Amino acid sequence: MVYGGVLNGVPNPDVIWAGGANYGTNGPYVIALRTNAANPFTFIWSKMTNQPIGIVANPSNWQEAYYLTKSNIFQTIDAGQNWSDITANLYKGARFQTLEFLPLPSGDALAAGTDDGVYITRLSGVPKWWTRLGSSLPRAMARSLHYDPSDQILAVGTFGRGAWT
């Protein structure tokens, strides 16, 4: 889940992106968006067959969001009106575990934690292409990612191999 965001320099603490199971009539899984505390969630993408396991948004443009399933990564730049599959060369690779948006000084990027380590893509590139991050980072399951923009450090929590930066 993502809460709070900024659009055109204006903070909006009421924005919430969420993904998960939907036990109603729309299908088994959904992506939902709320942009105003007075309004209910809008089901952006319903009738999904693959469970969303993570969602992140651009901290300077909440309309740009990314979510992942165990096998795919999707992008929207228009608040969920359209989605693109940006899995690219990671298609049918290691299973995805986590996702993190990286507002880097050199340009925005996305990091994906997988069963086989961490991969990164620059968001300005077309098509998106993923490369392994870090020559000394182990090829271990990356279960948690957190980027600190003030220190420009990506923290990686692995399964059984400790934490890395």
Side-chain angles (χ1 to χ4, degrees), residues 97-100 102 111-120 132-134 136-148 153-165:
Q97 299 291 326
T98 187
L99 198 60
E100 183 72 344
L102 310 174
T114 74
D115 285 353
D116 188 35
V118 179
Y119 292 83
I120 189 168
R132 184 179 301 282
L133 183 63
S136 63
L137 189 64
R139 293 181 83 145
M141 184 184 298
R143 297 282 298 165
S144 176
L145 299 174
H146 177 74
Y147 180 69
D148 180 353
I153 291 177
L154 177 66
V156 179
T158 67
F159 187 73
R161 297 292 302 269
W164 296 74
T165 58

Side-chain angles (χ1 to χ4, degrees), residues 38-164:
N39 295 332
F41 277 92
T42 301
F43 292 107
I44 299 297
W45 194 338
S46 60
K47 300 181 182 175
M48 297 171 60
T49 56
N50 293 321
Q51 181 178 11
I53 57 171
I55 190 163
V56 296
N58 182 335
S60 61
N61 178 3
W62 63 259
Q63 292 182 332
E64 179 184 341
Y66 303 83
Y67 85 88
L68 78 159
T69 68
K70 290 287 184 189
S71 58
N72 294 88
I73 301 173
F74 296 93
Q75 171 191 43
T76 184
I77 58 172
D78 55 12
Q81 299 302 307
N82 298 287
W83 291 90
S84 300
D85 187 333
I86 62 168
T87 309
N89 60 308
L90 295 183
Y91 181 70
K92 292 194 176 183
R95 291 184 326 154
F96 297 115
Q97 299 291 326
T98 187
L99 198 60
E100 183 72 344
F101 189 91
L102 310 174
L104 302 173
S106 59
D108 295 338
L110 201 62
T114 74
D115 285 353
D116 188 35
V118 179
Y119 292 83
I120 189 168
T121 189
R122 296 288 180 165
L123 295 174
S124 61
V126 176
K128 306 291 182 262
W129 197 256
W130 297 84
T131 56
R132 184 179 301 282
L133 183 63
S135 59
S136 63
L137 189 64
R139 293 181 83 145
M141 184 184 298
R143 297 282 298 165
S144 176
L145 299 174
H146 177 74
Y147 180 69
D148 180 353
S150 62
D151 293 324
Q152 297 181 23
I153 291 177
L154 177 66
V156 179
T158 67
F159 187 73
R161 297 292 302 269
W164 296 74

